[in-house]
Amino acid sequence: MRKLFSLILACVLIATCFMVAVSANNAQYVTYEQFGAVGDGETCDFDAIIAAHAYANANNLPVRANQTATYYIGHGGRTAEIQTNTYWGEAQFIIDNSIVEQGDHHANVFRVTSQLAPIELTHIETLAIGQEQIDVSLSRPAIVFVEDTTTRRFFRRGMNQDTGRPQRDLFLIDESGNIDPTTPIIWDFDTITSIWAHPIDDETLTITGGRFTTIENEVFWNSYFARGLQVSRSNVVVDGILHELTNETDARNSPNSGFMIVYSAANVLVQNSTFSGRKQGIHGSYDIQFTHTINLTFYNVDQANSIFDRTRGGITGSNNNKNLVFDNVTLSRIDSHTAAHNLTIRNSYIGSQGGLPIIGTGTFLLENTTVTANELISLRNDFGSTWDGDFIIRNVTFRPTGTYAVVINLRNDGMHDFGYETFLPRSIFIDGLTIDDAHLNWRRHFPHFYTGPQLFAANHIYGNDALRVTLLIDWFRTRNAPHPMTLSEQIVIRNLEVTSGRRLRLSRNIFRYRQWLFPNMRITRLDDSCPCS
């Protein structure tokens, strides 16, 4: 009888323990307080934060912040690795850059990473533009990064002229090595010095909330800070984050790579979030940066400070991305330093700190958007003013802020080798464009007599394109340039409104464009609503 009772008791205990374990597993999460965080806004909680995420990663548990806490993060040089869902909610975080020692300012506070190890593809020795498959067999889809250090591209021109960068590309493949046609190979690789496949996690990792304040450093270092949140894992959603700045000084703070950095990742969504433009110093300084990404979307993202503040740099910086989407954003600038492939901006408001300085390939779609800047689109002259693909501009309002109104700004006289051919967009399709230039009158801008909007900028090196003799000299000097641009094949314009009542001209540069463009380009007016000449 006693043995039977003991057996029954043991079974009950086992069942109870099992039920408790199941219940705990369903509700369990990790907190920073479990590892010693105080959350009073003064005691440094960084050690506790790092330890909490390390434990959560090892045990596949989510992390949840105390909603009433203010976590202070002082010393630098280390990073909290995030590999599980994290809920910050209304919790406050203070990142104090003012006390960080030089050399420790490059380490992001948080970095989202995958537990899946990258795979080196040493057997692949060459790649070709437009190639549809590579010889691999994987257990899951992956993002491939390839580099050829023997070939250099993007030889920058101008104030920041440099010796270029190694040729790089990235693309998506499925388990059998088929290349996603929306992420084509855009360079020939006769030599490959590095090629890795980064497997893509099946499940989406989500980071929610977080109210961050960065205390800027007061001493200028000629070196970029990177103390924020870096996402280097594919399939990630960042939802509801807020970043603000304090302790800024005019042009004295060190430059910043960005608080929100997306690097070497695919399928990332940043939504319902607010970031801050930084004071402009001798270097560009950003709050959002994205490099080597595929399928990156910013949805319902805005700026904590004014998108028209000229003392602040453009809020974004980017390099080498494919399939970028900005939807319902309000930002001072959307930028592409080195070649975006497929860029969409829609339902948005873009401010006056740079506007849309881009270069790239594929399709650029600008739709249902207002741009208040010097130019509607600025093809970056430091990288050749090139877009090898198509422009689609649909239902857009352009409010020029300078002394002229230019739809597409560019400057490439063909005298500089950028490491690649340069192109004006192969086709430009405009359907619904309002150029709000009624305020640009000759009294305000004397002696830059405003004579109406232009489709293309004058494309020359001198400051005042009203001086025709300088345009003639520039055209004569570069008429046999060694690196000429490939010209647009077609321009289609309809439903154009110019509020000043003036006509849209091809350009004020009567020499270069009439001699250089007109014989090679077809310009189409689809209806009488286009006041073009």
Side-chain angles (χ1 to χ4, degrees), residues 120-140:
E120 189 172 12
L121 308 177
T122 55
H123 64 286
I124 298 178
E125 298 179 348
T126 62
L127 291 172
I129 294 174
Q131 185 172 328
E132 296 180 354
Q133 186 184 42
I134 61 174
D135 181 22
V136 295
S137 179
L138 304 174
S139 61
R140 65 185 66 232

Side-chain angles (χ1 to χ4, degrees), residues 231-291:
V231 176
S232 291
R233 176 199 190 268
S234 297
N235 280 353
V236 173
V237 174
V238 178
D239 187 359
I241 203 167
L242 167 67
H243 181 234
E244 296 180 307
L245 304 167
T246 64
N247 205 40
E248 284 189 288
T249 55
D250 290 337
R252 287 174 48 201
N253 296 109
S254 298
N256 206 293
S257 296
F259 170 80
M260 178 77 212
I261 297 176
V262 185
Y263 182 79
S264 298
N267 310 330
V268 176
L269 170 62
V270 181
Q271 65 181 1
N272 307 320
S273 296
T274 299
F275 301 95
S276 295
R278 296 175 181 270
K279 290 288 187 180
Q280 179 69 48
I282 63 173
H283 298 293
S285 199
Y286 317 106
D287 210 41
I288 306 170
Q289 186 178 135
F290 34 100
T291 299

Side-chain angles (χ1 to χ4, degrees), residues 187-351:
W187 306 108
D188 285 322
F189 285 84
D190 298 325
T191 300
I192 294 176
T193 53
S194 173
I195 181 167
W196 292 82
H198 290 238
I200 295 176
D201 290 82
D202 294 327
E203 295 184 357
T204 298
L205 188 152
T206 301
I207 296 175
T208 307
R211 305 292 177 258
F212 289 84
T213 300
T214 295
I215 302 174
E216 295 283 51
N217 70 315
E218 294 183 348
V219 180
F220 175 78
W221 298 340
N222 194 21
S223 179
Y224 276 77
F225 269 73
R227 296 251 295 160
L229 171 64
Q230 177 177 315
V231 176
S232 291
R233 176 199 190 268
S234 297
N235 280 353
V236 173
V237 174
V238 178
D239 187 359
I241 203 167
L242 167 67
H243 181 234
E244 296 180 307
L245 304 167
T246 64
N247 205 40
E248 284 189 288
T249 55
D250 290 337
R252 287 174 48 201
N253 296 109
S254 298
N256 206 293
S257 296
F259 170 80
M260 178 77 212
I261 297 176
V262 185
Y263 182 79
S264 298
N267 310 330
V268 176
L269 170 62
V270 181
Q271 65 181 1
N272 307 320
S273 296
T274 299
F275 301 95
S276 295
R278 296 175 181 270
K279 290 288 187 180
Q280 179 69 48
I282 63 173
H283 298 293
S285 199
Y286 317 106
D287 210 41
I288 306 170
Q289 186 178 135
F290 34 100
T291 299
H292 307 317
T293 73
I294 293 177
N295 300 338
L296 171 61
T297 298
F298 290 88
Y299 176 75
N300 193 29
V301 171
D302 62 8
Q303 194 164 318
N305 38 34
S306 173
I307 64 173
F308 306 112
D309 186 349
R310 295 290 186 141
T311 68
R312 300 183 182 276
I315 194 169
T316 70
S318 72
N319 294 280
N320 197 23
N321 303 281
K322 292 183 178 179
N323 302 339
L324 289 170
V325 175
F326 293 83
D327 191 351
N328 193 30
V329 304
T330 301
L331 299 171
S332 63
R333 180 177 77 167
I334 294 176
D335 167 272
S336 171
H337 278 65
T338 54
H341 177 79
N342 295 342
L343 170 59
T344 295
I345 304 170
R346 57 184 177 232
N347 310 318
S348 297
Y349 202 126
I350 309 302

Side-chain angles (χ1 to χ4, degrees), residues 44-84:
C44 186
D45 296 313
F46 201 18
D47 290 339
I49 289 171
I50 292 172
H53 282 287
Y55 180 85
N57 299 340
N59 294 277
N60 194 29
L61 295 171
V63 174
R64 185 178 182 88
N66 182 343
Q67 300 301 287
T68 63
T70 299
Y71 300 103
Y72 176 80
I73 299 170
H75 55 272
R78 294 186 300 148
T79 298
E81 300 283 342
I82 299 177
Q83 295 178 345
T84 62

